[in-house]
Amino acid sequence: MAAIRHIPCVIVNGRYDMKTPPDAAWDLHAAWPEAELRIVEDAGHAGAEPGTLHELITATDGYRHVRL
C-alpha cells in the first residue's frame, strides 16, 4: 500500500456483486483509507449497470484535474 497510497482512488463496488463481494471492497478501503469507497446499492458486478456506471463516470470526472 505504501507504493500507491498517494494515488487518488475511488473504489466502486455493487452491493450484490457475487464475483467481488462488497466485503473485499471494505477490506481494501480499510487498508487504503485515503481512497473513497462507494457501494452501489442496486448493482451487482457489471460496470454497465446504471448505478455503477454513474459512480464510475462521477469518479473519473472528479480526477480531470489530477496530474501524477
Side-chain angles (χ1 to χ4, degrees):
M1 289 310 306
I4 64 170
R5 178 159 266 128
H6 69 283
I7 300 172
C9 177
V10 177
I11 303 164
V12 178
N13 206 111
R15 180 175 182 200
Y16 300 106
D17 189 335
M18 300 304 279
K19 286 187 175 186
T20 51
D23 60 340
W26 281 107
D27 291 345
L28 177 59
H29 181 56
W32 193 359
E34 298 84 2
E36 185 177 340
L37 176 60
R38 297 184 188 167
I39 301 295
V40 182
E41 290 298 320
D42 61 349
H45 187 73
E49 292 183 59
T52 302
L53 187 58
H54 169 76
E55 291 296 343
L56 292 171
I57 291 170
T58 300
T60 54
D61 283 350
Y63 291 127
R64 287 182 182 179
H65 66 284
V66 174
R67 300 284 184 251
L68 299 176

